[in-house]
């Protein structure tokens, strides 16, 4: 099958300038690190397992690549003292969580922890409702520098001080914003604050609308799960975010029906006229597409069940130990897809796997300095998906383009097809229409006359192309090509 896609930009969409946002001086680029949850997807993660994961992370060289945060998710606190202070489980954490934080800092990492806005967590453990300030103070004393606050068991009643159901989430999570501002971390700054509402467009919650005033990142979809197919669903969901939280519109899957109004109060006749997720993202505040599942495979509880083997979901020799999760492991090309898209869409990059026996080829998808440099670009501009069909499905593949510092561009060509797919990027579209017409963060855009092309996965220079030219690439099935375009003049 031979298909050529010419990228055309619709200028009918006027993207809003980012509103004044939380300015706590952290997460000026998307946070990068490790979460225990998908590696150990149950409550009660212990010290021995966390140390095992840390040793593998250090051995893989990830801290030197700014995989900074290690989120303990979740340790499951056994209760509270008479004064309400959280108690640690010293059986599971004999040296204490603060000692583990000190161990992390020896390797250049920082401690993160998990709680919920309700009285109990999603796993039924003690959470922080009514103790927001007290728990943040405790976490700060332990050396926590990243806090993940989930949504389970949230209480949207007058008894919890909530009198407007439509703003319940914003009010509950704002309580942590105030508490975090009151309690400095061990290094004197504020904690990175991550909201996890398990939201998705059309599910009645739109944290991207107010998240920048409250937190450093907010989840835009439900938990990642299953394998590569679900990753595609997350990307599909991400690009449907509109200013009002609807799947914007003319879409049979939109629960609000076609023509639902966008952020500007006008009714959208076309999907491409809706503000996309990039309108809500920038330095210090990010759309969070959930964890990377690169290397996530068997997820077994200690003693790690050495006799347990699995092919897909079919496992043998697993009696007496925790069965594996239902992950279908990613291939290396699929891992490159997730890392490329999460990077160009400026999602936090939190790996979550036991890397003890992970191949170098798989780990290299997390260690590509050229790709990570896109995430670290100080402009912080989330890419926009381009195409004749706006935000609708495209059987011909998808192209994402994001402006970077110095009038450079990052580009991801993503083939969602089962066949090799030719794609064409017309540079005049992005240079003249896209990047210079839509200055989301007030950046200066000066079109160049030609651009140097660099392939970030192949690590090759692919010549130069004039600003009036085009780039033709054939992408293998379910794979990506990721390039940068840097001005030569």
């Amino acid at each position: 099958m031979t298909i050529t896609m010419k990228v055309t930009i619709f200028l009918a969409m006027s993207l809003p300038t980012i509103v004044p946002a939380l300015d706590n001086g952290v997460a000026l680029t998307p946070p990068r690190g490790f979460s225990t949850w998908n590696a150990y997807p149950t409550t009660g993660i212990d010290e021995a397992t966390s140390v095992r994961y840390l040793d593998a992370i250090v051995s893989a060289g990830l801290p030197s690549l700014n995989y900074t945060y290690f989120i303990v998710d979740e340790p499951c606190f056994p209760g509270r003292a008479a004064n309400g202070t959280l108690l640690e489980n010293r059986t599971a954490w004999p040296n204490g969580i603060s000692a583990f934080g000190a161990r992390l800092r020896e390797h250049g990492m920082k401690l993160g922890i998990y709680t919920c806005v309700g009285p109990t967590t999603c796993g039924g453990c003690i959470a922080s409702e009514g103790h927001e300030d007290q728990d943040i103070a405790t976490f700060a004393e332990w050396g926590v520098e990243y806090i993940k606050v989930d949504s389970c068991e949230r209480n949207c009643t007058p008894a919890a001080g909530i009198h407007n159901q439509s703003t319940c989430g914003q009010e509950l999570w704002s309580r942590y914003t105030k508490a975090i501002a009151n309690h400095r971390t061990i290094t004197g700054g504020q904690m990175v604050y991550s909201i996890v509402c398990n939201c998705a467009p059309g599910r009645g919650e739109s944290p991207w609308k107010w998240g920048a005033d409250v937190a450093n990142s907010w989840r835009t979809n439900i938990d990642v799960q299953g394998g590569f197919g679900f990753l595609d669903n997350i990307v599909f969901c991400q690009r449907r975010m509109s200013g009002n939280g609807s799947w914007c519109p003319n879409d049979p899957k939109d629960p609000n029906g076609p023509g639902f109004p966008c952020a500007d109060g006008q009714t959208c006749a076309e999907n491409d006229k809706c503000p996309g997720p990039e309108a809500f993202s920038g330095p210090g505040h990010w759309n969070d597409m959930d964890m990377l599942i690169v290397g996530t495979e068997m997820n077994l509880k200690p003693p790690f069940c050495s006799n347990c083997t699995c092919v897909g979901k079919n496992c043998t020799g697993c009696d007496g130990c925790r069965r594996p999760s239902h992950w279908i492991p990613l291939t290396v090309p699929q891992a490159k897809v997730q890392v490329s898209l999460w990077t160009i869409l400026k999602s936090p990059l939190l790996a979550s796997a036991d890397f003890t026996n992970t191949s170098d080829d798989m780990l290299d998808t997390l260690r590509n300095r050229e790709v990570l440099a896109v995430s670290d670009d100080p402009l912080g501009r989330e890419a926009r998906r381009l195409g004749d069909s706006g935000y609708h499905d495209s059987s011909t593949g998808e192209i994402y383009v994001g402006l970077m510092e110095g009038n450079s561009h990052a580009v991801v060509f993503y083939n969602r097809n089962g066949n090799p797919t030719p794609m064409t990027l017309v540079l005049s579209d992005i240079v003249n229409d896209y990047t210079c017409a839509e200055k989301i963060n007030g950046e200066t855009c000066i079109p160049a006359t030609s651009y140097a092309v660099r392939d970030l996965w192949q690590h090759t220079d692919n010549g130069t192309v004039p600003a009036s030219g085009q780039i033709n690439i054939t992408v293998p099935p379910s794979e990506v090509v990721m390039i940068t375009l840097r001005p030569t003049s």
Side-chain angles (χ1 to χ4, degrees):
M1 180 172 65
T2 301
I3 302 173
T4 299
M5 177 167 73
K6 178 178 179 180
V7 180
T8 303
I9 311 305
F10 289 88
L11 296 178
M13 176 170 125
S14 179
L15 294 178
T17 300
I18 290 292
V19 297
L22 175 68
D23 183 14
N24 59 3
V26 297
L28 299 181
T29 58
R32 190 148 74 237
F34 177 86
S35 171
T36 64
W37 179 251
N38 282 332
Y40 189 97
T42 187
T43 58
I45 181 78
D46 56 28
E47 183 176 341
T49 308
S50 297
V51 169
R52 172 189 171 97
Y53 293 158
L54 172 60
D55 289 345
I57 290 166
V58 172
S59 179
L62 297 182
S64 66
L65 296 170
N66 294 328
Y67 286 87
T68 301
Y69 298 97
F70 188 112
I71 297 95
V72 178
D73 184 1
E74 61 174 306
C76 200
F77 305 112
R80 294 184 181 275
N83 66 355
T85 302
L86 280 172
L87 298 174
E88 292 186 75
N89 182 344
R90 283 307 181 107
T91 301
W93 292 84
N95 296 301
I97 292 175
S98 62
F100 181 69
R103 187 169 188 158
L104 288 170
R105 290 190 292 277
E106 291 175 0
H107 296 288
M109 298 189 75
K110 299 178 181 181
L111 176 63
I113 210 158
Y114 168 96
T115 187
C116 267
V117 293
T120 57
T121 68
C122 302
C125 301
I126 297 292
S128 296
E129 182 186 87
H131 295 268
E132 294 87 357
D133 189 81
Q134 187 176 33
D135 287 356
I136 292 296
T138 298
F139 296 151
E141 290 176 5
W142 290 349
V144 169
E145 298 184 69
Y146 182 113
I147 179 75
K148 172 182 175 181
V149 183
D150 212 336
S151 62
C152 289
E153 304 299 326
R154 64 178 176 175
N155 186 354
C156 295
T157 67
I162 304 299
H163 301 283
N164 185 341
Q165 292 290 310
S166 65
T167 60
C168 175
Q170 184 175 1
E171 291 186 48
L172 290 177
W173 276 295
S174 292
R175 295 173 182 177
Y176 295 86
T177 311
K178 297 173 184 177
I180 289 168
N182 291 336
H183 302 286
R184 296 289 168 165
T185 68
I186 195 168
T187 57
Q190 290 196 26
M191 296 178 193
V192 174
Y193 179 20
S194 170
I195 287 173
V196 181
C197 70
N198 269 329
C199 302
R203 294 187 67 184
E205 192 78 53
S206 308
W208 47 90
K209 291 173 60 178
W210 45 262
D213 293 327
V214 175
N216 297 112
S217 68
W218 48 87
R219 281 274 296 281
T220 58
N221 45 270
I222 61 175
D223 290 349
V224 63
Q225 54 192 285
F228 183 71
F230 198 83
L231 298 181
D232 195 58
N233 290 338
I234 289 177
V235 176
F236 186 66
C237 172
Q238 176 85 354
R239 70 173 184 265
R240 289 169 179 268
M241 286 164 44
S242 69
N244 65 342
S246 166
W247 282 353
C248 181
N250 283 358
D251 186 329
K253 294 182 179 179
D254 184 352
N256 297 304
F260 200 76
C262 283
D264 58 5
Q266 299 176 3
T267 298
C268 300
E270 302 289 343
N271 274 4
D272 56 80
K273 295 179 182 177
C274 282
E278 68 275 8
F280 307 97
S281 176
H285 46 279
W286 310 102
N287 292 310
D288 180 2
M289 296 163 66
D290 203 8
M291 288 167 273
L292 299 172
I293 57 172
V294 175
T296 305
E297 297 190 37
M298 293 180 62
N299 307 326
L300 298 176
K301 193 173 182 178
F304 301 101
C305 309
S306 58
N307 296 323
C308 178
T309 59
C310 298
V311 178
K313 298 181 182 180
N314 300 315
C315 301
T316 59
C318 302
D319 294 342
C321 64
R322 189 179 186 280
R323 290 184 61 82
S325 294
H326 57 277
W327 298 106
I328 301 174
L330 300 184
T331 65
V332 170
Q334 289 172 340
K336 290 179 180 179
V337 170
Q338 186 183 22
V339 173
S340 298
L341 289 170
W342 264 235
T343 296
I344 201 166
L345 293 172
K346 301 298 181 180
S347 175
L349 301 177
L350 298 178
S352 186
D354 181 354
F355 292 126
T356 305
N357 297 311
T358 304
S359 71
D360 278 339
D361 284 347
M362 186 64 75
L363 285 170
D364 283 345
T365 65
L366 299 172
R367 297 187 295 209
N368 187 323
R369 293 178 183 273
E370 294 191 77
V371 172
L372 295 176
V374 175
S375 178
D376 292 337
D377 181 71
L379 190 60
R381 176 78 171 266
E382 180 177 328
R384 181 184 176 191
R385 175 180 175 267
L386 312 180
D388 290 343
S389 53
Y391 286 85
H392 282 300
D393 280 344
S394 173
S395 61
T396 59
E398 301 174 357
I399 301 178
Y400 295 82
V401 179
L403 181 65
M404 299 197 303
E405 191 176 51
N407 300 308
S408 296
H409 303 79
V411 184
V412 168
F413 300 81
Y414 174 34
N415 181 10
R416 301 178 72 225
N417 254 333
N419 301 292
T421 299
M423 302 185 200
T424 299
L425 177 65
V426 180
L427 266 66
S428 61
D429 288 341
I430 60 172
V431 171
N432 296 327
D433 296 337
Y434 170 58
T435 57
C436 290
E438 299 171 354
K439 301 176 182 178
I440 295 178
N441 296 329
E443 61 270 13
T444 300
C445 180
I446 304 172
T449 57
S450 63
Y451 292 85
V453 182
R454 174 76 176 175
D455 189 312
L456 303 189
W457 287 110
Q458 297 299 319
H459 304 293
T460 57
D461 292 320
N462 295 350
T464 61
V465 60
S468 59
Q470 62 186 37
I471 296 173
N472 301 298
I473 292 179
T474 297
V475 184
S478 300
E479 293 191 23
V480 292
V481 172
M482 187 173 188
I483 65 172
T484 54
L485 303 173
R486 298 194 181 277
T488 59
S489 60

